Amino acid sequence: MHFGYCKALMLKGSISSKAGVEAFFNKKTKAKLVNGEIEYGLTAFHYIHQNPYEACLVERTEDWPFSSYTDFAGLYNESLCNIKSAIELFQLNTLALKTETHKKIEAHKLKYLL
């Protein structure tokens, strides 16, 4: 779990202690080999950007201050992200990125991520 996400939950009052934050970081995660599958990577890309909205932490995807979505959508210009590489890899333009990120991810695609 990202520290920024935990920090936001602490500020919101959902996590009240250091032990609560540590519990997030100690959860088991799984790795998956994805041999250059653009659709998988693109689905994961949108899924990550949709998480704060789906968790009802924000009203709009672009409202989450810890997300790279604003960088990729051209709403913020000071990024640590390699936007050019990601857009080339996923074969997106800024308009397509905004449109696709706001679409609900189909259940059959989600099962490969979770």
Side-chain angles (χ1 to χ4, degrees):
M1 174 97 23
H2 258 277
F3 178 73
Y5 183 71
C6 290
K7 184 177 176 182
L9 290 176
M10 288 179 72
L11 291 172
K12 191 175 180 181
S14 300
I15 300 175
S16 59
S17 68
K18 182 179 176 186
V21 172
E22 289 173 356
F24 275 88
F25 285 102
N26 290 329
K27 290 189 176 181
K28 301 256 186 225
T29 59
K30 54 186 172 182
K32 189 177 285 196
L33 180 61
V34 184
N35 294 318
E37 297 176 28
I38 290 177
E39 186 174 354
Y40 178 90
L42 188 56
T43 301
F45 182 81
H46 293 310
Y47 175 79
I48 289 166
H49 288 142
Q50 289 179 9
N51 272 336
Y53 173 78
E54 292 294 329
C56 298
L57 296 172
V58 292
E59 291 183 20
R60 300 175 312 153
T61 304
E62 52 270 25
D63 292 340
W64 187 246
F66 308 104
S67 175
S68 61
Y69 172 76
T70 55
D71 298 319
F72 286 100
L75 303 172
Y76 186 71
N77 293 326
E78 296 180 31
S79 176
L80 295 175
C81 303
N82 190 333
I83 297 169
K84 183 180 176 189
S85 293
I87 288 176
E88 287 175 8
L89 175 67
F90 298 131
Q91 302 166 358
L92 283 177
N93 61 43
T94 304
L95 180 59
L97 174 81
K98 289 179 186 178
T99 304
E100 293 298 317
T101 296
H102 288 94
K103 286 184 181 176
K104 185 83 170 159
I105 297 173
E106 298 168 19
H108 73 277
K109 290 182 179 181
L110 280 177
K111 73 178 182 178
Y112 294 108
L113 295 177
L114 307 175

